[in-house]
Amino acid sequence: EGTHATGEIQPASTALEQRLAIEEIKARCTHHIEKEALYNRFLDSGIHYGTYFQALSEVWGNADEALGRLSLPSAFEPQLQHYTLHPTLMDAALQTIAGIGLNSSKRQTLLPFAIEEVEILQPLSAHMYAYVKAIGPQRASVAILDDSGLVCLKLHEVTLRALPEPLEHFFYAPRWKIAPIAAVETVTAN
């Protein structure tokens, strides 16, 4: 079995509120994609998100950053009171990473593998934004913002890994090797 995660909880220091300018981020983004087209792209990549995990309504992106509009489906809003970090909102925030390089022809399916630190600053609501900034190859930082741009949560050092091709090692292919024919000894019977 083994340990798959470890953590440490510490009270937050009294930090100043941080706000990001949502409209300025949108203006820097050169590409935009709506929910249906986005989830069709995920499906084409082999990732099927059920209704519960389809909370990303639109994404703006460029080569270095992305902004996603998170909208928890109304059927799941009553669950907010039971979670500090609602799984649907958290997953949608991580899905926003797909907005980086939206128009790139060299799209590789990357999935979150590790998160170095989670910083909870404010409660989350049913409608938020996720801001993603690339910080290196297959690494990003993610912030969840309220509608005014107030940073409510930070995911530091999100590490991504490539989604392996599902059938990569599934099929066998015949491979013929040329080999010399061994001499055959004939025996005659009397």
Side-chain angles (χ1 to χ4, degrees), residues 3-183:
T3 302
H4 296 285
T6 60
E8 191 176 297
I9 297 176
Q10 298 175 355
S13 60
T14 51
L16 297 175
E17 287 185 351
Q18 182 183 0
R19 287 190 190 277
L20 299 177
I22 292 170
E23 293 306 316
E24 288 178 20
I25 296 168
K26 287 181 186 179
R28 289 193 304 265
C29 293
T30 54
H31 306 290
H32 177 257
I33 190 168
E34 297 284 338
K35 179 178 186 168
E36 185 177 344
L38 178 68
Y39 285 102
N40 283 336
R41 278 190 179 196
F42 285 135
L43 195 56
D44 291 344
S45 298
I47 303 170
H48 175 72
Y49 287 106
T51 307
Y52 191 74
F53 288 105
Q54 290 187 23
L56 194 53
S57 59
E58 58 187 319
V59 177
W60 298 262
N62 61 39
D64 301 312
E65 62 187 339
L67 182 72
R69 181 65 173 148
L70 312 180
S71 297
L72 186 65
S74 58
F76 307 127
E77 283 185 30
Q79 297 176 355
L80 272 172
Q81 64 184 335
H82 303 293
Y83 291 103
T84 300
L85 304 176
H86 195 286
T88 303
L89 292 172
M90 293 300 295
D91 201 73
L94 292 169
Q95 293 169 22
T96 303
I97 294 169
I100 295 177
L102 263 176
N103 205 31
S104 171
S105 59
K106 299 178 190 175
R107 301 267 320 145
Q108 181 183 28
T109 304
L110 300 174
L111 297 176
F113 178 74
I115 299 171
E116 183 65 31
E117 180 182 350
V118 177
E119 192 175 354
I120 303 167
L121 304 168
Q122 300 288 332
L124 302 184
S125 65
H127 303 284
M128 311 284 292
Y129 283 93
Y131 174 67
V132 178
K133 179 80 176 152
I135 57 173
Q138 298 186 352
R139 287 188 6 219
S141 62
V142 179
I144 298 181
L145 324 169
D146 71 7
D147 287 342
S148 72
L150 177 68
V151 177
C152 299
L153 180 131
K154 293 180 183 179
L155 302 175
H156 299 276
E157 295 275 339
V158 177
T159 302
L160 308 167
R161 292 260 173 104
L163 178 66
E165 173 62 43
L167 301 177
E168 184 176 3
H169 300 292
F170 185 75
F171 296 106
Y172 291 100
R175 189 172 54 173
W176 296 93
K177 289 184 178 180
I178 297 176
I181 298 176

